Each structure stands twice: as structure tokens, then as C-alpha cells.
Amino acid sequence: MSGVAAGTVAGTAAEAAVGDDPSGVGSAAGSSLRPRLTTRQLALVSAITKSASLKRRLIDATEALHEGAVVRIGEEAARLGPVIGSGLVGVVHRATLEETARVVAVKRARARLAFFREAFRVERRTAAKLADRPELGCARIVAFGDHFLAKELVTGPTLAELLVRSTIDRVQRVALEAVLDVVRHGLDAWQIALDVSPKNLAWDGRWVLLDAGPKMKVGDVARIADARSFDAYVRAYRAKLADGPSAPSAVAAPASAEEKLSSPGNHVFVRDFWRWFPLDEDVDVHSFLVDPDEAMSSDEIAVERLASGDFVPAQGLPPAVLDSAVAAWANTEPASRAVALASIARSATGRLHRVLNAAELPIPTVSVRPYHHYRDVLEPSLGHSPLDLYCHEVMPAGPGNAPSAANTSKGALTRLRIPTPPGTFAELGYRRAPSSNRAYVLVPGFRAGIDAATPLVRTLIERGHRGCFLAARLGVRNAKGQPLVTGGVWEVPLLVQVVDYAVTALDVSAVTLIAASHGAAAAMDVAAIHPAVDRLVLDSPLERPLELFFHAASFHDLDRNGARDLLRAHDLPFDERVLDVPSRSGLRSLALRPSPDRITDVCGFAGGASRVVEYRGPHAATMRHDVSERGIPVVCLEAIDAFHDET
């Protein structure tokens, strides 16, 4: 860890952080210093803790967040730096708080499992308990959410580093024996097992516990505490001593082929990992420091496979998810979120399955010439080709369209990028309005950049909408680096990545997709399959998007077959299907219909929305390149307000 670790605690601040916990830490149930788990959840934890291969399965299934990602931690936002440690429950990054530029350690849970949430809750309570112990400091928690913790950082060396280098002194030895007394007190008085392994203790004038998360099994910790001597402690941990960043011991074990889960007994399909895990049928409840609580949510378990061979889905589980889980059991597909969504999509449409397997999608070879208005493409004398409609270069602001300096700076979005497949891009703008676990993901239309969504974000916040706002410009680049749209084909897997980023990094539980014009094509597909999307707002959604290209081609003396040949020659995808707004359980939709609108006259207006509201204004009026000058029609804003107010 190179001497970098989460730092010491100030008692009052730690207590205040815990006291502000909205999840119920201060309540009778929330005040427990032991994780609360159902019988099945404990059986899952027990099976994993007994098996190095299952630990590797869990670790390998963790979705990594890239360096530079912005994450939400309660009411704070932090930009992640490099990984500085990891454990079975979470991964720790060096990070910087966005508002204060303070450097912290951010711990992120590996998945949305009840056990991980409980471990984070218990860690907050334990940190507060240790705040006034002179023998043992504890990393001060400065911000927290259900699946993220931000802690102070210290630069003191870890005990592991001191032992490996044989540089530990007498003062540190004596201080460690006092720490073992605290461990025994924790077991006897608080019924918690502290992790005092060498990589979890740092020296900063006293020993500082870097991670106050609970040890689940009592035995090993009790033996360490009972020894109460430095030499006995070192003997217990000698085999695990190693220099370098903290990591689960299962990571160091030799990699082996993924075992097929064919053993008898019950197994569960864990939704966040999209993998099967066995349940321990012989779990020894007394060997774990937990509070049994059958009322705890088990929403992370999507399907259970009984020893009889029957598959039992969770209540309300979409049939396609069950089909994908059964296929994963049979090892007919690799386990990953992308494959999971592709499997769901295949049950609805073969096209979506191909689209979500990005390796099957070519990068277009076409070169384009930017246009000012789509009508320019209809005029051969201006030197345009119908292929220029695929240009996605942001439309420059004309003399009358330039936003004022005040509008440009007011409510500006923080720019982000996420890793995407070669040849593609996903440019994001981020802004947060606190006190909500909802994300709004906005996708503007043709030649509209992130700035085209900024006025809508700002106005929604002013009108009382709360949550995390992400504006996304998505597409591919040709060999010259020109940005292109692909009619919703490449945009679908990219938008899935954006929604996944919102759920994983911004720690939200629900997503509203807001899309305009061609951006609506990808939004409709993603809303049809992504379980996090529960609200869909579409401005000027096109029923037959490719008709605009065919319409332009007709002005260049190309019939439909000639137009198709032109697309094939440049590896441009063409999809002549008729789009409609998806309908599935748990999804509500609102469509905003402009009038008059030449583009929907040509392409048709996608039907099927739960509610349709007409407005007087241009195509995609809510997120145009010139929206700062034109303004957003009030009827659109009122419709979005009413739509979100509905229960």
C-alpha cells in the first residue's frame, strides 16, 4: 500500500456521521453492531467464506470502476483515483471529493448484496464506538451511502509493511498488545469481531484500524484476542504476510478453470453478479456474529435452484431473466451483465441481441460533411450527400443561437468520460441535486451535444426534481475521427453502459431516461430491457428513423435499393423496423409530440406511450442545439413534472 491508508478518527464527527444515517442506524434495528441476515443470506455467505474458488467467483464478477469515474457517496461526490486496497466486501480507491478537493479513501461494495450493505452499516457503527478508544484509532468516515464509504487518508506505514521489513519497534509492539485487549472487549461487550490483520492496521503515533467492517466468523479473531501477545499475533499471521496493496487471499490463489455448479443442494442466482452460488446446507449459525432477521430484503437473489432441480424465480421476475439464469446454469453462456441483457433482448428481438454483442458491430467507414439544417442535405447543388445525415459533430451556435455567458456558466455540467469499445465514444455531463436515489439520463438528438441538455437539467432542478443528472452524447468515430450517429445501433450498448454507470457509480436505484429525436431510438430499446429504467420520456420519437435517410436519398436520384447499397458500402447499419414505445411491467412512459414537425411527417411518430402530450414548437424542442435561445416549451416541462408526480 506504499504507506497510504485510511486515516484516524475524530470521535464527534464519526458519531455525527452515523447519527445522520437515513437508513435507520439510529433506530433499534439499525443500532445493531452485527449484520442482519436472513437464513438464505447467511447460507450464501457461509458457502462463500468456506471456498477459495467461490471467493474468486465473487471477486471476478465485480464490475470495476475506471480511474477518473465520479461516484456519489450520500450527498457527496468523489472522483476516483487508483485502487489502493481490496477485500472480499469491497474495493478501496484513493479519491478526491469534488466540492472540497479533499483527498480521501473511498470504499465501494462489490455488489448490491444485503450482506455488503449490512457490513457497511456495521462499519459506521463500529467506527463510532472506537472513536474514544485511546488504544486504537479508526479511519474517520466523512461520507457514506448504502454501497460507498469515504474515509480520511493517512500516510503511516501498515503493520504488514513493518513486519515484512523487520522495522517494528518496542513501542509499536506494546501498543499492539493493547489493541488485542480492545479486540477482546469488542467480542465480549459489543459482540463484534474486529479485523486486526497486519494490512488493516497503520501506525500514526498509535495503531489505526483502516477498515472497521465486521469479521463474520468468530473463531480466528477470538484466538488472536486470547493470545494477547505480540509474538502469538505474528505467528498467527506470518503465512499471510506480504508486501504490497491489500487484497483478498483468494486473489493470490492459483487461477483454476471455472467449476460447473452441479453439486447437490440449493443454489441461488445473484442478480448483481449474474452468477450462481451454492447455499451452505450445514451452516453453523453460532460460528457467525449475525442477527437472524427473516424480514430483510432478499432482492439480490433472482432465482433459486432447489436440490430437486426445480428453478424458483423471485416474485415478479421477468421470464426472460429466468431463461437467462437457466442458460447460465447450463454454462451455455458466459456470465456477465452484458450477456445477461443480450439474453433478455434476444427473447424480445434478435436485433437487440446482435446490437448488445458489440464485437459483431462494424465501425462505419463513411466520411461526412457537416450540414447546418437537414434540408441542406436535400439539395444536391450544395454538395451534400444523404450520408451526411450520419454526421454527429455538434452544431455550432449561430449569431442568433449563441447562449449568453450567464446561461453558459449557470448550472454547467461536470464533464466525464467512461471507457467504451474502440472506435466509439460516450461523453457525459454530470450534475447532482441531493436527496434522491434517482438518476436522470438525458440523450439529445442529431448534432446536439451535452450543452443542449444543460438548460433542461437546470430547469428540472429549479422545478424541484432531485437526483443525479447525466447528459450523454453517444456515437462512433470514423478513421478521420469524425463523430457519427448509427441510427440507434451502436448507441444501444453505449447507453446501457451509461445506465450501468449511473446505477453502479452514482448508487441510484431507479433511472429516468429522457431522449430526443434520434436519441429516442436507443432509449426505447434500453428501456425495454434494462431493469433499472422505470420511467421513459421521449421528445419527438421517430417511428421509422431510417425514412429520413431514404427521403434525402430520393433527392439525389437514389431509390430505396440504391440507398441501401450506399449504406452497405460504408458499413453503416440500417434497420427498417417500425419503432414503438416499449411496454413492460414497472415501466411508465411519456411522449412529447411537436406540431408542426416536418421530420415526424416523414418518419412518423412512435406510438405506444402511456401518455402523449402535444406542444407547439420545433422538433426535439427540449434538447436542441439552439435551446438556450429558443427556450423549452412550458407545456413540456409541466408534462414532465406531472409525469414524475404520478405514483
Side-chain angles (χ1 to χ4, degrees):
M1 199 174 289
S2 302
V4 178
T8 55
V9 68
T12 55
E15 292 284 5
V18 174
D20 292 338
D21 186 355
S23 65
V25 166
S27 66
S31 62
S32 172
L33 281 173
R34 296 186 295 188
R36 300 162 299 173
L37 298 175
T38 67
T39 302
R40 285 200 310 169
Q41 289 165 345
L42 180 57
L44 173 62
V45 171
S46 179
I48 292 172
T49 57
K50 286 181 177 179
S51 167
S53 65
L54 290 179
K55 290 177 183 176
R56 286 187 62 89
R57 174 183 285 261
L58 182 151
I59 292 165
D60 292 344
T62 303
E63 290 193 23
L65 285 176
H66 63 283
E67 190 170 335
V70 170
V71 300
R72 183 176 72 96
I73 310 171
E75 301 303 329
E76 296 279 357
R79 191 175 294 268
L80 297 184
V83 172
I84 57 175
S86 64
L88 195 62
V89 170
V91 179
V92 182
H93 290 256
R94 187 184 185 96
T96 304
L97 296 181
E98 287 283 276
E99 293 186 8
T100 63
R102 180 180 185 179
V103 178
V104 294
V106 168
K107 179 180 176 183
R108 171 203 166 206
R110 291 188 178 276
R112 292 169 171 262
L113 296 185
F115 166 57
F116 293 165
R117 287 195 299 272
E118 280 295 285
F120 275 34
R121 180 188 64 81
V122 170
E123 181 170 354
R124 298 195 299 271
R125 296 295 307 178
T126 303
K129 280 282 189 184
L130 292 173
D132 57 358
R133 302 290 304 196
E135 313 96 318
L136 179 62
C138 184
R140 178 174 178 262
I141 296 173
V142 299
F144 61 85
D146 283 343
H147 306 96
F148 286 92
L149 295 175
K151 312 178 190 183
E152 286 186 315
L153 220 66
V154 294
T155 56
T158 66
L159 176 55
E161 292 170 334
L162 295 174
L163 290 174
V164 167
R165 299 167 190 172
S166 300
T167 56
I168 190 167
D169 61 30
R170 183 178 180 280
V171 172
Q172 292 164 335
R173 289 169 179 254
V174 172
L176 181 62
E177 292 178 349
V179 166
L180 299 181
D181 289 336
V182 177
V183 174
R184 169 49 60 189
H185 180 78
L187 280 174
D188 294 342
W190 302 336
Q191 290 292 290
I192 59 172
L194 298 175
D195 177 7
V196 290
S197 57
K199 287 194 174 182
N200 198 36
L201 290 171
W203 183 256
D204 187 30
R206 62 173 175 168
W207 290 114
V208 177
L209 194 66
L210 304 181
D211 189 316
K215 294 286 285 184
M216 290 289 291
K217 303 200 78 171
V218 182
D220 293 341
V221 175
R223 283 190 291 274
I224 292 295
D226 287 340
R228 298 190 183 184
S229 76
F230 175 81
D231 291 338
Y233 173 93
V234 172
R235 283 195 299 271
Y237 284 108
R238 176 65 69 185
K240 292 185 177 182
L241 285 179
D243 209 356
S246 173
S249 56
V251 173
S256 58
E258 183 77 358
E259 62 187 48
K260 181 177 173 61
L261 293 175
S262 57
S263 58
N266 292 7
H267 293 70
V268 291
F269 189 66
V270 179
R271 189 190 303 265
D272 236 31
F273 288 135
W274 215 263
R275 298 195 182 195
W276 286 96
F277 290 87
L279 298 181
D280 184 359
E281 304 296 334
D282 300 314
V283 58
D284 179 6
V285 177
H286 300 293
S287 68
F288 289 89
L289 280 174
V290 299
D291 285 334
D293 187 348
E294 299 304 326
M296 290 290 291
S297 170
S298 295
D299 57 352
E300 71 269 24
I301 297 176
V303 184
E304 184 167 0
R305 185 185 186 275
L306 305 180
S308 63
D310 294 330
F311 292 92
V312 181
Q315 185 175 4
L317 189 77
V321 178
L322 174 60
D323 292 343
S324 186
V326 173
W329 174 269
N331 281 343
T332 58
E333 301 184 25
S336 72
R337 185 192 299 269
V339 170
L341 288 172
S343 177
I344 297 171
R346 185 171 60 245
S347 69
T349 162
R351 171 193 173 275
L352 268 183
H353 179 66
R354 292 191 301 274
V355 165
L356 283 166
N357 283 277
E360 300 178 15
L361 298 177
I363 297 294
T365 58
V366 65
S367 294
V368 292
R369 179 184 173 191
Y371 57 88
H372 179 69
H373 191 280
Y374 93 93
R375 287 192 299 267
D376 297 345
V377 182
L378 309 184
E379 181 52 63
S381 64
L382 296 179
H384 282 287
S385 159
L387 294 172
D388 292 341
L389 285 175
Y390 285 85
C391 176
H392 199 26
E393 184 177 307
V394 174
M395 187 82 75
N401 295 334
S404 68
N407 281 339
T408 301
S409 60
K410 184 180 179 182
L413 305 183
T414 300
R415 299 306 170 99
L416 307 174
R417 287 184 182 272
I418 59 175
T420 61
T424 69
F425 64 88
E427 299 171 357
L428 305 182
Y430 169 72
R431 188 177 173 193
R432 180 175 55 91
S435 304
S436 174
N437 284 328
R438 174 169 294 278
Y440 294 73
V441 176
L442 298 89
V443 187
F446 290 102
R447 301 199 61 190
I450 292 170
D451 289 339
T454 301
L456 181 57
V457 170
R458 182 176 64 242
T459 305
L460 290 177
I461 292 174
E462 290 172 351
R463 296 174 73 91
H465 293 257
R466 292 293 178 263
C468 299
F469 292 80
L470 276 177
R473 177 173 174 254
L474 311 172
V476 301
R477 295 188 186 277
N478 61 18
K480 295 181 179 180
Q482 292 180 305
L484 308 172
V485 296
T486 61
V489 175
W490 262 110
E491 289 83 356
V492 168
L494 294 174
L495 186 53
V496 166
Q497 282 190 259
V498 173
V499 174
D500 283 345
Y501 176 82
V503 172
T504 304
L506 303 182
D507 204 14
V508 300
S509 56
V511 173
T512 296
L513 268 182
I514 305 178
S517 189
H518 100 278
M524 284 188 274
D525 282 343
V526 173
I529 61 173
H530 204 298
V533 179
D534 65 350
R535 295 175 186 175
L536 177 64
V537 178
L538 304 170
D539 183 358
S540 312
L542 304 180
E543 183 181 48
R544 301 178 304 279
L546 201 59
E547 285 300 315
L548 192 62
F549 174 76
F550 288 137
H551 180 66
S554 69
F555 284 81
H556 293 259
D557 297 326
L558 286 173
D559 61 14
R560 296 179 81 89
N561 286 331
R564 294 186 186 104
D565 290 341
L566 190 61
L567 294 175
R568 290 191 189 97
H570 295 282
D571 289 326
L572 281 163
F574 59 94
D575 187 351
E576 299 181 55
R577 67 191 175 122
V578 175
L579 297 178
D580 55 9
V581 181
S583 175
R584 63 168 173 82
S585 175
L587 176 69
R588 294 191 295 112
S589 55
L590 166 67
L592 305 174
R593 182 168 191 163
S595 178
D597 180 23
R598 292 287 302 276
I599 294 180
T600 53
D601 288 344
V602 172
C603 299
F605 184 84
S610 308
R611 184 181 178 193
V612 178
V613 173
E614 293 191 2
Y615 66 88
R616 297 285 297 179
H619 184 77
T622 58
M623 289 188 286
R624 293 172 58 92
H625 71 283
D626 56 0
V627 67
S628 292
E629 181 188 75
R630 289 179 177 270
I632 302 170
V634 174
V635 66
C636 295
L637 297 171
E638 291 175 343
I640 295 173
D641 290 346
F643 176 67
H644 258 274
D645 287 342
E646 294 173 1
T647 57

